Amino acid sequence: MPSYELLLAFVVATAVFAYMPGPAMLYTAAQTIARGRRAGLMAALGIHIGCYVHVIAAAFGLSAIFKLVPEAYMAVKIVGAVYLVWLGIGIIRQRMDGTTRPQTAAKSARRAFFESIMVEVLNPKVAIFFLAFLPQFVDPAAAFPVWIQFLILGTMVNLAFSSGDLICILLASTLVKRLKNGGWGERLARWTGGALLIGLGARLAFDRN
């Protein structure tokens, strides 16, 4: 593995990225506000699992395709943006029936999990991030092969990012508790969460980076 000095720099840099407000935090907050804390936690788990696709792709050099073929990067980015907007509209249009709320909440949590995996996989900016970030802390002369170092460091980054998402979910769930369980409070939560997802989709689509 890299030297202690390099690992220390890696830990500091990872912490900065993990706890700096970003799209993943906004996404999990949106799911929490619109669907509740359970859905937010499942969304964070889905993001975490989907992130391993990018970690593995970076370890084996597959993420380089996005740099070599800009059209592929743009295509995946647009699909991911449209998917986020579609999710946001779906949350806004969703109706909650008070007699079936427990079943609806369980279904929403499952949906949030699978949707979040797709959201993360369809975000090529995550792939580019790992491709640019991890090589700075990989030591070709270390005992472990480079691809194993990629997997280890990528897993550490993913865990740190998920811890940041969990903090955001707890804060968002506290906000939700202040809203009424029904009526305008529930509608406001759905509209807020849906609007956040639509905004994230628009940001992804029009971001030139």
Side-chain angles (χ1 to χ4, degrees):
M1 291 295 290
S3 64
Y4 289 113
E5 293 80 4
L6 200 57
L7 283 176
L8 179 60
F10 167 76
V11 170
V12 172
T14 298
V16 170
F17 282 115
Y19 300 109
M20 181 174 59
M25 284 188 177
L26 288 176
Y27 175 82
T28 53
Q31 291 284 357
T32 304
I33 293 171
R35 291 171 165 171
R37 184 170 64 178
R38 182 179 178 183
L41 292 172
M42 293 301 288
L45 179 60
I47 291 288
H48 183 82
I49 291 176
C51 190
Y52 284 118
V53 173
H54 297 296
V55 172
I56 293 172
F60 293 99
L62 300 178
S63 299
I65 294 175
F66 289 128
K67 280 194 170 183
L68 297 175
V69 186
E71 292 80 7
Y73 174 86
M74 182 61 65
V76 174
K77 188 174 78 165
I78 294 300
V79 171
V82 171
Y83 188 61
L84 276 170
V85 172
W86 180 74
L87 291 180
I89 293 173
I91 286 178
I92 291 174
R93 296 181 59 188
Q94 180 182 355
R95 293 182 179 180
M96 296 286 284
D97 183 355
T99 60
T100 60
R101 186 165 292 149
Q103 295 89 337
T104 303
K107 183 179 180 181
S108 294
R110 289 194 298 271
R111 287 185 60 183
F113 172 70
F114 291 109
E115 289 171 356
S116 300
I117 294 176
M118 290 299 298
V119 165
E120 186 70 358
V121 171
L122 290 175
N123 187 355
K125 297 186 72 173
V126 179
I128 296 299
F129 167 79
F130 279 112
L131 192 62
F133 183 68
L134 295 183
Q136 302 178 57
F137 307 98
V138 169
D139 184 3
F144 290 130
V146 169
W147 68 272
I148 291 182
Q149 294 183 58
F150 262 91
L151 292 179
I152 294 174
L153 295 176
T155 298
M156 294 171 65
V157 171
N158 197 12
L159 289 171
F161 278 25
S162 293
S163 68
D165 293 341
L166 290 177
I167 294 174
C168 192
I169 291 168
L170 293 177
L171 294 175
S173 64
T174 300
L175 174 63
V176 171
K177 287 181 181 179
R178 296 180 180 274
L179 300 176
K180 294 182 179 180
N181 291 328
W184 71 269
E186 183 180 296
R187 289 194 294 271
L188 177 61
R190 286 192 290 106
W191 275 87
T192 301
L196 281 173
L197 293 185
I198 293 173
L200 286 173
R203 180 181 183 275
L204 179 61
F206 295 105
D207 192 348
R208 295 183 179 181
N209 295 327

